[in-house]
Amino acid sequence: MSIADKTKDIVIKSRDSIINTIDANENGEIDIEDFIILGLRTPGIRVNRSDFLKKELLKNYPQEVIDDAISYNPAHAKIPVNEIDKIADEVIKFERNCVSGISTALGMPGGVAMVATIPADIVQYYSYMLRATQKLMYLYGFPEIDTNEKGQKFDSETMNLLIICLGVMYGVQGTSNAIRAMARALGTGVEKKLLKTALTKGTIYPIVKSVSKWFGIHMTKEVFAGFFKKAIPVVGGVIGGGITYLSFKPCCNKLKESLQDTLLSNPEHRASEDEYIIVDAIEQPSAE
């Protein structure tokens, strides 16, 4: 076998190894669910809502205000939105600094032998993004997100909610309206069962599928762009495939901006027509 053939064989085997390492939902593909599952399994990524809000609010607010924010949400506790925005900015800054530790690791030269590090580094990146997502959701009024694993699976409602949030971060069409619609549904007392149905097979589900499809294409390119960078040694302090330290803050800011003006974070929020359409469909599900 020639050197070229041996190199090609190593590359193919390494590529297959990456797919096997990342494929957490065992569907034979690289998709956003894989990174959410692996991210939530990473120690320190799941955020307890009560503990987080208490820690952030204890600095400036009495216990009764903190209790109100935990029982309902910070807006209900009359915490000014500019104060919530400040905490959100600190959250984004903190998580971004965590990402800075991995942003150079993947860009260092190392050849094919270093390819195995790509999944771990990208998983870490999305782990910090997921942790930021939970914190921002809690600051802007959303209830506890059930990130507990049942056996070897996470609740499909949780999975789809986080897919929508990541879609907002990357500017995928329709996701901001979906977030606002969910907030309105929660704010107006729509039954949790109906909201879960909307997320898993109802009116929000097509948006979830659209986001998943977008990420499937996007992430495969990102992973293997990084893979081929590692196969041919290069110098540069960026995560393979263009996932960089610099991209983290803009992504988080997009989610923050979507969450700043919902019925849960702003009692005077004015819903868009698309938002109302989604909420109406949640409240009046079609007969199965």
Side-chain angles (χ1 to χ4, degrees), residues 51-165:
D51 291 347
F52 167 68
L53 289 176
K54 183 176 181 179
K55 178 175 177 288
E56 293 300 328
L57 300 176
L58 194 60
K59 307 166 191 174
N60 299 309
Y61 294 96
Q63 191 62 49
E64 59 267 24
V65 173
I66 296 171
D67 291 342
D68 192 335
I70 291 171
S71 297
Y72 297 96
N73 58 51
H76 187 275
K78 303 288 193 294
I79 297 174
V81 67
N82 64 308
E83 292 297 320
I84 296 299
D85 291 344
K86 287 179 185 177
I87 298 173
D89 288 339
E90 287 301 313
V91 163
I92 294 169
K93 181 180 178 182
F94 175 81
E95 300 300 342
R96 187 190 190 207
N97 287 338
C98 290
V99 169
S100 69
I102 61 171
S103 63
T104 57
L106 195 57
M108 298 300 291
V112 175
M114 288 290 289
V115 168
T117 68
I118 293 174
D121 288 326
I122 298 180
V123 166
Q124 285 181 55
Y125 179 89
Y126 278 98
S127 295
Y128 294 131
M129 192 166 273
L130 287 169
R131 191 164 65 185
T133 294
Q134 293 168 78
K135 292 178 179 180
L136 292 173
M137 295 284 277
Y138 297 152
L139 285 172
Y140 290 104
F142 274 75
E144 185 84 37
I145 299 169
D146 182 7
T147 55
N148 292 316
E149 196 170 8
K150 284 81 175 176
Q152 292 297 311
K153 290 188 176 182
F154 289 94
D155 188 280
S156 56
E157 177 187 6
T158 298
M159 180 66 65
N160 293 352
L161 174 61
L162 292 174
I163 288 172
I164 290 288
C165 290

Side-chain angles (χ1 to χ4, degrees), residues 261-277:
D261 187 23
T262 75
L263 192 59
L264 292 176
S265 60
N266 176 17
E268 298 179 3
H269 168 69
R270 294 185 179 182
S272 66
E273 184 178 346
D274 288 341
E275 185 181 322
Y276 271 120
I277 290 171

Side-chain angles (χ1 to χ4, degrees), residues 22-38:
I22 295 175
D23 188 19
N25 62 1
E26 299 181 346
N27 67 352
E29 301 174 356
I30 293 175
D31 54 38
I32 189 59
E33 284 194 15
D34 296 325
F35 287 92
I36 292 175
I37 292 169
L38 294 171

Side-chain angles (χ1 to χ4, degrees), residues 125-252:
Y125 179 89
Y126 278 98
S127 295
Y128 294 131
M129 192 166 273
L130 287 169
R131 191 164 65 185
T133 294
Q134 293 168 78
K135 292 178 179 180
L136 292 173
M137 295 284 277
Y138 297 152
L139 285 172
Y140 290 104
F142 274 75
E144 185 84 37
I145 299 169
D146 182 7
T147 55
N148 292 316
E149 196 170 8
K150 284 81 175 176
Q152 292 297 311
K153 290 188 176 182
F154 289 94
D155 188 280
S156 56
E157 177 187 6
T158 298
M159 180 66 65
N160 293 352
L161 174 61
L162 292 174
I163 288 172
I164 290 288
C165 290
L166 291 172
V168 173
M169 288 175 148
Y170 280 88
V172 182
Q173 187 174 5
T175 51
S176 287
N177 278 330
I179 282 283
R180 295 187 182 107
M182 284 187 279
R184 174 163 289 277
L186 289 165
T188 54
V190 168
E191 289 183 25
K192 186 177 180 180
K193 181 180 178 181
L194 292 179
L195 186 56
K196 182 173 183 176
T197 300
L199 269 166
T200 56
K201 56 184 178 182
T203 184
I204 299 176
Y205 185 63
I207 301 173
V208 173
K209 296 297 288 183
S210 175
V211 175
S212 296
K213 182 179 179 181
W214 183 89
F215 268 109
I217 297 168
H218 175 77
M219 299 185 87
T220 300
K221 288 180 179 178
E222 296 288 0
V223 169
F224 289 113
F227 166 75
F228 286 113
K229 276 188 178 183
K230 300 306 296 184
I232 304 172
V234 293
V235 176
V238 297
I239 287 181
I243 305 176
T244 69
Y245 166 69
L246 295 176
S247 73
F248 190 88
K249 184 178 179 181
C251 285
C252 289

